[in-house]
Amino acid sequence: MANSHDFDKALKHAYQQQKQQHGLSKQDLEQMKTKCRQPKQDKFWQQAQWAMACAGLLFLGALWIQPESEVTSLYALDLTQYDNIEHHGKENGQYTVHITRKQKPQNYEAVQAKYSELLAEARSFHGRIIENNSDFLLIADCKENTLLEIEKSLLNDLSDLDLDGQLHQGEMLALTSNKKGLLVNLTTLGQKQGIYSCP
């Protein structure tokens, strides 16, 4: 036992001698302590990166959720921008069209003649859905300053497809009317046709 005690003592003594011979100078030791006390700059950069990554995720999440509200405000209904409002519906089982004009123009006869001429010819045109609710569908004509209000009861007569649940605000449509001004066809224009805005 005394032998191991002497060995430990000799080992500690050798360690202390080596420490004094090869140890750090006081200047080196103070310099190391000073560096250890300084705040780490890398830690700030890491926190900044985490903060930027979280902000980026929040921004992407907001963009992902936002389109519904953006579409609503983008195609908000403003009746003052339309000269005419055509109401297409059914009365007593018969298809009817009622036209409401925003105001009587000074040259009423010329406008009436132009609009009667427009109704008297079969035409195909494009429109954008402004509003789609349970009672009617509002479509803005791309060429004329006309708003078409189509009752939902008429939709099944105008298309071979069941469009009731498929029509969304901002979507483009192709419409066809006959010589009496009655709509005879309504078709959605998807991405396949490549029409995203009024031509």
Side-chain angles (χ1 to χ4, degrees), residues 79 82-87 98-102 115 138 145-149:
L79 293 177
Y82 301 105
D83 293 335
N84 304 306
I85 299 172
E86 290 182 14
H87 175 79
H98 298 289
I99 299 169
T100 307
R101 290 181 175 69
K102 182 168 64 175
Y115 204 73
L138 289 178
N145 249 359
T146 302
L147 181 70
L148 294 110
E149 180 183 21

Side-chain angles (χ1 to χ4, degrees), residues 123-127 139 150 173-177 183 185-187:
R123 66 185 190 115
S124 292
F125 56 100
H126 294 102
I139 302 170
I150 303 171
L173 300 173
L175 300 109
T176 307
S177 65
L183 294 173
N185 191 14
L186 183 140
T187 310

Side-chain angles (χ1 to χ4, degrees), residues 29-40:
L29 190 59
E30 286 300 319
Q31 190 176 17
M32 186 181 284
K33 285 181 181 179
T34 306
K35 281 187 179 182
C36 289
R37 287 184 196 131
Q38 288 178 349
K40 293 186 178 184

